[in-house]
């Protein structure tokens, strides 16, 4: 058995959960926050059989889109003059960041 941990953008979560559920997969949705942008994203836990992992990954690829997101950054500490002015930077986020882990035991009590 494997655990697929997928970090996705909030905008893709609804379609991704619908597609996973429709295909017979089970998923748990967690609210999460990206360490870099400090904005909300979604982490999905999908426990699945080894031979189903490719299908789960295909659904994630099909559903999750890369998008540009703006972040405001400040000048470097110690810099002078204009370097302290906040300025917007465009960052490409997603489609999805995915970890696939071996599961030693799966227990439902
Ligand atoms: P964030 O950490 O908020 O990162 C958002 C986007 O900012 C990243 O998109 C990437 O394009 C950029 N970015 C992140 N760290 C950067 C850095 N040190 N320098 C320059 N640009 C940087 P994605 O790569 O698509 O990541 C989307 C979200 O997936 C991340 O949100 C984070 O929540 C998660 N993530 C990505 N890689 C991860 C990892 N190795 N471990 C845990 N979570 C990860």
């Amino acid at each position: 058995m494997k655990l697929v941990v997928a970090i996705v953008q909030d905008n893709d979560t609804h379609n991704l959960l619908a597609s996973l559920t429709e295909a017979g997969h089970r998923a748990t949705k967690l609210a999460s926050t990206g360490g870099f942008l400090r904005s909300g994203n979604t982490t999905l836990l999908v426990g699945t059989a080894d031979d189903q992992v490719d299908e789960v990954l295909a659904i994630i690829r099909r559903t999750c889109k890369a998008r540009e997101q703006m972040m405001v950054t400040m000048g470097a500490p110690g810099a002078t003059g204009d370097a302290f002015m906040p300025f917007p930077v465009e960052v490409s986020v997603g489609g999805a960041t995915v970890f696939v882990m071996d599961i030693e035991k799966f227990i439902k009590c």
Side-chain angles (χ1 to χ4, degrees):
M1 181 158 202
K2 304 281 189 203
L3 179 65
V4 179
V5 178
I7 303 165
V8 305
Q9 294 179 70
D10 292 345
N11 287 340
D12 292 324
T13 305
H14 179 82
N15 287 342
L16 179 53
L17 276 176
S19 300
L20 286 170
T21 308
E22 202 174 298
H25 301 289
R26 295 179 177 213
T28 296
K29 171 179 177 271
L30 306 173
S32 46
T33 303
F36 188 66
L37 295 179
R38 314 280 164 92
S39 65
N41 54 25
T42 299
T43 300
L44 292 186
L45 307 181
V46 185
T48 192
D50 290 22
D51 63 1
Q52 296 290 300
V53 169
D54 286 346
E55 183 178 277
V56 170
L57 295 178
I59 292 170
I60 293 171
R61 278 201 193 90
R62 199 167 62 230
T63 316
C64 297
K65 312 280 178 234
R67 294 184 184 83
E68 303 302 317
Q69 201 166 318
M70 296 302 288
M71 72 174 290
V72 176
T73 183
M74 302 292 281
T80 55
D82 285 351
F84 285 108
M85 296 286 288
F87 60 95
V89 178
E90 207 170 44
V91 178
S92 171
V93 186
T97 298
V98 181
F99 305 89
V100 180
M101 288 173 270
D102 285 322
I103 296 303
E104 194 178 314
K105 276 186 190 168
F106 172 62
I107 302 163
K108 289 182 84 171
C109 301

